[in-house]
Amino acid sequence: MHPLRHVRRPVLRAVIGLLCAAPAIAQPPPQPVLGEYTPADIAYGARLYDAQCTTCHGANGDGVGGVDLRSGRFRNAVSDQDLARVITNGIPATGMLGFKFDAAELTGVIAYLRNMNSFDRESVKTGDAARGRSVFEGRGGCTRCHRVGTQGPRTAPDLSDIGAVRSAGSLLRSLTDPSSQMMPINRPVRVVTRDGTVLNGRRLNEDTYTVQLIDDRERLVSLNKADLREFTISTTSPMPSYKNTLNADEMADVVAYLLSLKGPVMR
């Protein structure tokens, strides 16, 4: 027997009334689309748009009939996730094809589309990858810790494909405030074993019982946590800030170089 059959009719009507009057489950508000994109991402997206999108959409975003990208309103997209889906998959039965952008490129294109109407190309300095490489390998001293391709040490994270996984804005923040962009798995660690041996290095992997790291002599080390006297994870990056070392043009050049590092990503 249905459980509500034992309830008196007035009570039953009241319960049904409450259920019918209950408000619908609140939907999350639309994702904000203004004021959350860095100038570096917007500038990078503008370059990608010029190279990939102007053939159909035109420089001003109005090259396709009935479509005005500068308006900030899109027929098939509301949120940034919607835009990512349309850009990646295209729109069936139309001339809009999908693009195989990596994460950094997708972030840049969306940032530009969201700010296309107000973006002043003259206000943002776009970098030069060749000059950026010179700074990276020279005055910046980045190759003392970072590896690119087959060159450089492994004491710091390998940057061979950093341009495919980090946005322009994230890379710029890494140069000015390294700790804010440090991936948890790459945090520096200090280990003291039961016999007093001290190891300093970078965490590569960790589970409940073990931790793997690369020490400051580039040795791969796997340790059982039960054998450790001390295991300390730092939240401060050993990388120096370049905020007062490189000027704005040099920063833009280094970011452009890092964005060009796509590693083994298929293009």
Side-chain angles (χ1 to χ4, degrees), residues 38-117:
T38 69
D41 283 326
I42 299 169
Y44 183 46
R47 287 163 49 195
L48 292 168
Y49 178 90
D50 290 346
Q52 302 289 339
C53 309
T54 52
T55 301
C56 295
H57 286 285
N60 295 318
D62 57 0
V64 176
V67 177
D68 181 9
L69 298 181
R70 290 175 64 90
S71 69
R73 295 186 297 272
F74 309 98
R75 293 179 184 174
N76 298 283
V78 175
S79 68
D80 285 359
Q81 289 78 9
D82 293 336
L83 277 176
R85 172 180 49 77
V86 170
I87 293 169
T88 302
N89 300 329
I91 303 175
T94 72
M96 177 64 190
L97 303 177
F99 288 82
K100 293 182 178 180
F101 287 138
D102 59 44
E105 292 168 336
L106 196 56
T107 296
V109 171
I110 291 173
Y112 177 63
L113 291 176
R114 291 300 194 187
N115 293 273
M116 193 175 182
N117 191 45

Side-chain angles (χ1 to χ4, degrees), residues 4-55:
L4 287 182
R5 290 183 181 178
H6 291 291
V7 182
R8 293 182 179 179
R9 288 185 177 179
V11 177
L12 179 59
R13 285 195 296 268
V15 171
I16 294 175
L18 287 173
L19 291 174
C20 293
I25 297 174
Q27 297 296 319
Q31 183 174 337
V33 296
L34 297 176
E36 61 180 341
Y37 309 103
T38 69
D41 283 326
I42 299 169
Y44 183 46
R47 287 163 49 195
L48 292 168
Y49 178 90
D50 290 346
Q52 302 289 339
C53 309
T54 52
T55 301

Side-chain angles (χ1 to χ4, degrees), residues 202-207 210-214 221-223:
R202 177 169 57 89
R203 185 172 55 164
L204 297 177
N205 190 35
E206 181 182 354
D207 57 31
T210 66
V211 60
Q212 291 75 44
L213 57 90
I214 183 166
V221 182
S222 181
L223 301 164

Side-chain angles (χ1 to χ4, degrees), residues 98-166:
F99 288 82
K100 293 182 178 180
F101 287 138
D102 59 44
E105 292 168 336
L106 196 56
T107 296
V109 171
I110 291 173
Y112 177 63
L113 291 176
R114 291 300 194 187
N115 293 273
M116 193 175 182
N117 191 45
S118 59
F119 177 62
D120 180 5
R121 292 175 180 270
E122 301 300 321
S123 68
V124 178
K125 176 70 176 180
T126 56
D128 179 86
R131 291 197 304 262
R133 179 175 181 175
S134 296
V135 175
F136 181 90
E137 296 177 347
R139 197 158 77 84
C142 307
T143 54
R144 289 198 296 265
C145 299
H146 290 286
R147 186 178 184 85
V148 174
T150 60
Q151 303 298 317
R154 294 181 172 86
T155 51
D158 190 319
L159 301 182
S160 299
D161 64 350
I162 194 68
V165 296
R166 288 287 191 97

